[in-house]
Amino acid sequence: MSHTFKLTRAGLVSAIALMAAAAPLTAHARQDRSTQQTRSMTRTYSAAEFFQTTSFGLASGAGLAFSPDGASVLVSSDASGVFNAYALPVAGGTAVPLTASTTNATYAESYFPNDDRILVAADGGGNERSHVYVRERDGTLRDLTPGDAVKANLIGWKGDRSEIWVASNARDPKVFDIVAIDPATYDSRLLFENPGMTLGAVSADGRWVVLEEQLGSGDGNLYLVDLWVGGEPRLITPHTGSVKYRVFDFTPDSRALLFGSDAVGEFGRGYRHDLASGETIDDLKGDWDLTALSYSPSGRYRISAFNVDARTELTVLDTTTGRAVALAGVPEGDIGTVRFSDDERRMAFTVASDTSPNDIFVADLTTGQARRLTTALNPAMREDDLVEATVVRYRGEGGVMIPAVLYRPHGASAANPAPAVVLVHGGPGGQSRRGYSAMVQHLVNHGYAVLAANNRGSSGYGKTFLHMDDRRHGEADLRDIVAGGDWLRAQDWIADDQVAVMGGSYGGYLTVAALAFHPEAFEAGIDIFGVTNWVRTLESVPAWWGAQRASLFDEMGDPATDAERHRRISPLFHAERIVRPLLVVQGANDPRVLQVESDEMVAAVRANNVPVEYIVFPDEGHGFRKRDNRIAAQEAYLRFLDTYVRRSAGQARGQ
């Protein structure tokens, strides 16, 4: 098994149909539910009921998801209200809790190869300084990466399972080294001292390390390091112009590196670099971005995924037959993450859709028969009461077509127009995608249309579209959001005087920017841990971003030279223009958007005698880890929208 290192736990895994010999591994074809959705009565559910839905995730792709005896799959779940690690019986039955944190989210990483110990990861209240822990046989946790300022992530196991590999910034806060840990004694040694780039992956034999050099938001390089021979990192991606590279994995036999590149055309494709000869060849391409490419432990099965217009199409190809694995007993939806047992007789995977959250399945690879192990949706809820999304496109500035994911409430019509929300994703460079969202479905269930916009600068639609907002943030990308509101108002089933804007992180920034720079465009705004002062935010980038700073500064501008523009696009310095109601949600432990930023924004808008609601969660960071907090925030969103957006004819704005 080879090992790919990621700075963040969550990653976009998306896909497109491959060639005929490798048809996508998706659940059975989507069915038209229109006849089901025209029933006379749709039940409404509380935020608490929506968030009684349980979140499930498989163990890290760098780890061992199946227990040594094959009886269980290691998963993360928030069944208790806080994420913890569980052993999920392959034969079916109740998940067995392995950790019991009531404070910090604790994520399952890996089983040990020969006993019932596991590896887990947790940070401190959302501060993003994650550590790697061993859960001992007696249930206690041992920190393998101690230190108050340390951030560490699991890279994986050496191929022969003799070492645990961890990425750690203990030596230098700005870079991640590779530390090898003895699984018996827990003694550690420095395996690789990073010269200052981003760790990409380590080959299973421990010989090769690939590093990513980020020259800018759309340009970079890959370097190989031979740990057995030594010497300086060797460039393997010489090029002219701007080319973006991404590491996928080493092949299980440690003979080749798999990586992606957008060097040819608009979309990323896959390449294979032979480590012995140095030859690089095309490996896989499609009509959309290739976002995942890896192999099962022996190399028999190839997993590939493409990002197809805001949804995932994933294929598991049996390389011995040239055919995609066919599964039976799987509901409609997109296949997400995939994990194999060491003997490759079984495969664990997730399935999700717009109306059904991630559930975990296990399939017998000999027969293709799958068994469902979880039911994530609250059993008190009917899936037919939820809404399947559609992808629409509207015209933005300069004729640029803006993709968006639209959720239309049941019963919305010209005779019964719905209030609406333009939802803005995070980033910069994120993407609004199809798939289950309790936050969105709760609002739609209570009668709000939601348009999840992919403004210019979003990923998934080609490199030209992605870089349209570079060093122009808060300009045309913001006007794309305003245009989304205009598009909604043009629909006869939307109440044209009841349209709000809402977003988190970079989407929170565009939300408040819309209220400041287009003060009449929306009835109200909801800012969820959004940037409002780019000057401070860019000066406060955490040290562990290290080599990623160049990419961020290339896209947003260097605070040393672009502070004037950052001030011009920051809502905090133009707060006097805001005249519509605002809700601000903030995590006290947020290392990206400091609480002081939201404190100042709220005070500035209140000085305008504009209604402002402010919620600070003392035990959250840049996002929500705890169910109770998600419920409290969701109730606040709906209450705020009902107060300031949904209103009867003649009701005054902001009252």
Side-chain angles (χ1 to χ4, degrees):
M1 179 181 294
S2 50
H3 311 275
T4 303
F5 171 68
K6 301 293 182 185
L7 275 177
T8 57
R9 291 189 53 83
L12 284 178
V13 180
S14 314
I16 187 178
L18 304 183
M19 297 164 282
L25 175 66
T26 59
H28 67 69
R30 296 179 181 275
Q31 300 170 352
D32 183 2
R33 295 184 180 174
S34 59
T35 56
Q36 301 175 27
Q37 294 177 345
T38 55
R39 65 191 181 281
S40 58
M41 181 68 69
T42 299
R43 295 181 189 174
T44 57
Y45 303 97
S46 67
E49 288 175 301
F50 269 96
F51 284 101
Q52 283 305 315
T53 292
T54 306
S55 296
F56 292 104
L58 287 165
S60 168
L64 307 175
F66 284 82
S67 59
D69 61 4
S72 299
V73 177
L74 185 62
V75 303
S76 302
S77 172
D78 66 349
S80 68
V82 177
F83 276 99
N84 277 285
Y86 292 79
L88 190 60
V90 169
T94 304
V96 178
L98 300 177
T99 62
S101 176
T102 59
T103 53
N104 296 323
T106 303
Y107 295 101
E109 295 286 338
S110 177
Y111 275 112
F112 273 61
N114 300 310
D115 58 61
D116 56 1
R117 290 175 294 167
I118 65 169
L119 295 170
V120 298
D123 69 2
N127 65 6
E128 300 187 15
R129 290 193 290 272
S130 55
H131 287 206
V132 178
Y133 298 83
V134 174
R135 183 213 184 252
E136 300 282 14
R137 296 175 182 88
D138 63 2
T140 59
L141 293 181
R142 176 195 291 261
D143 190 351
L144 296 181
T145 55
D148 291 343
V150 170
K151 179 177 173 65
N153 294 75
L154 178 69
I155 296 175
W157 292 84
K158 188 175 181 179
D160 62 6
R161 312 294 194 246
S162 63
E163 292 180 330
I164 304 165
W165 291 334
V166 170
S168 169
N169 70 344
R171 180 186 62 85
D172 182 340
K174 298 186 293 299
V175 299
F176 288 85
D177 299 325
I178 301 175
V179 176
I181 301 172
D182 186 308
T185 65
Y186 304 137
D187 291 338
S188 63
R189 65 185 179 90
L190 184 63
L191 180 65
F192 172 67
E193 184 173 310
N194 192 339
M197 288 182 267
T198 300
L199 288 177
V202 187
S203 62
D205 62 4
R207 177 174 182 175
W208 301 97
V209 175
V210 60
L211 300 173
E212 300 178 54
E213 180 187 35
Q214 295 179 323
L215 301 173
S217 62
D219 193 20
N221 271 313
L222 300 182
Y223 288 81
L224 273 175
V225 179
D226 187 336
L227 297 185
W228 294 359
V229 174
E232 294 298 312
R234 174 168 58 87
L235 176 67
I236 62 169
T237 55
H239 64 275
T240 57
S242 293
V243 179
K244 193 169 186 177
Y245 297 93
R246 63 183 302 171
V247 173
F248 290 130
D249 215 340
F250 286 96
T251 54
D253 59 11
S254 299
R255 292 181 178 179
L257 170 69
L258 306 174
F259 66 90
S261 170
D262 63 2
V264 180
E266 281 290 316
F267 295 96
R269 62 175 66 182
Y271 294 85
R272 176 184 293 257
H273 178 83
D274 186 275
L275 297 172
S277 69
E279 181 184 11
T280 297
I281 61 172
D282 275 4
D283 195 54
L284 189 61
K285 62 181 178 180
D287 297 328
W288 298 81
D289 281 326
L290 177 68
T291 57
L293 182 62
S294 62
Y295 284 86
S296 62
S298 76
R300 174 175 176 175
Y301 298 100
R302 185 188 71 188
I303 307 97
S304 57
F306 286 78
N307 183 351
V308 184
D309 210 9
R311 59 177 292 266
T312 295
E313 287 182 7
L314 182 146
T315 300
V316 176
L317 180 74
D318 186 338
T319 62
T320 64
T321 65
R323 293 192 297 268
V325 172
L327 298 178
V330 181
E332 68 173 288
D334 291 348
I335 305 295
T337 52
V338 173
R339 306 285 184 261
F340 291 90
S341 60
D342 258 5
D343 60 11
E344 296 184 353
R345 295 174 60 187
R346 286 177 294 187
M347 179 180 83
F349 57 96
T350 60
V351 179
S353 69
D354 295 335
T355 57
S356 180
N358 254 351
D359 274 310
I360 296 174
F361 292 73
V362 169
D364 183 316
L365 286 170
T366 302
T367 65
Q369 184 61 48
R371 178 188 297 113
R372 184 176 192 147
L373 301 185
T374 65
T375 302
L377 190 67
N378 182 346
M381 296 173 62
R382 302 187 312 191
E383 193 172 339
D384 287 344
D385 290 326
L386 308 184
V387 169
E388 194 158 327
T390 58
V391 175
V392 301
R393 282 170 167 76
Y394 61 86
R395 191 174 299 278
E397 186 174 292
V400 175
M401 299 306 296
I402 306 301
V405 182
L406 177 66
Y407 300 81
R408 178 172 177 166
H410 294 310
S413 66
N416 183 35
V421 175
V422 177
L423 181 63
V424 195
H425 63 68
Q431 183 186 24
S432 292
R433 295 175 49 78
R434 294 188 61 174
Y436 184 80
S437 166
M439 180 189 79
V440 170
Q441 290 285 357
H442 174 253
L443 295 180
V444 177
N445 183 244
H446 284 259
Y448 287 87
V450 175
L451 183 73
N454 280 308
N455 51 275
R456 70 193 71 199
S458 301
S459 58
Y461 302 98
K463 61 186 180 184
T464 299
F465 190 84
L466 175 65
H467 294 293
M468 279 184 174
D469 67 342
D470 287 1
R471 301 206 182 196
R472 293 190 291 273
H473 299 83
E475 297 174 10
D477 61 342
L478 174 57
R479 293 189 285 273
D480 290 340
I481 299 305
V482 173
D486 294 338
W487 183 88
L488 281 169
R489 293 184 190 90
Q491 311 309 304
D492 63 5
W493 53 275
I494 293 293
D496 60 9
D497 61 344
Q498 300 178 39
V499 180
V501 61
M502 172 182 183
S505 193
Y506 186 78
Y509 158 65
L510 286 181
T511 291
V512 185
L515 297 188
F517 302 119
H518 301 269
E520 303 293 330
F522 295 99
E523 309 307 312
I526 299 176
D527 162 26
I528 309 166
F529 42 88
V531 177
T532 59
N533 179 354
W534 282 110
V535 177
R536 176 187 285 120
T537 294
L538 292 172
E539 289 175 347
S540 306
V541 171
W544 60 79
W545 283 36
Q548 292 181 321
R549 288 166 60 94
S551 176
L552 178 65
F553 288 175
D554 181 60
E555 179 167 354
M556 291 297 308
D558 190 324
T561 56
D562 293 311
E564 181 179 350
R565 185 177 66 84
H566 294 155
R567 186 179 183 90
R568 175 165 49 81
I569 66 171
S570 296
L572 177 63
F573 305 114
H574 309 275
E576 73 283 354
R577 301 182 60 180
I578 295 179
V579 296
R580 296 288 167 81
L582 173 65
L583 167 63
V584 177
V585 175
Q586 174 72 42
N589 301 322
D590 193 334
R592 304 185 183 208
V593 179
L594 305 180
Q595 181 183 330
V596 63
E597 195 160 320
S598 291
D599 291 345
E600 292 174 351
M601 191 74 228
V602 167
V605 179
R606 281 178 174 164
N608 299 342
N609 294 318
V610 171
V612 181
E613 298 182 13
Y614 188 28
I615 303 172
V616 178
F617 290 96
D619 52 354
E620 296 286 9
H622 199 67
F624 295 107
R625 308 289 185 97
K626 299 182 179 179
R627 177 183 292 143
D628 287 347
N629 292 341
R630 292 195 291 272
I631 292 170
Q634 192 69 33
E635 289 173 339
Y637 305 153
L638 182 61
R639 186 169 57 247
F640 177 83
L641 291 170
D642 282 349
T643 300
Y644 297 109
V645 178
R646 191 203 309 266
R647 57 183 182 275
S648 59
Q651 183 178 353
R653 282 189 169 96
Q655 296 181 350

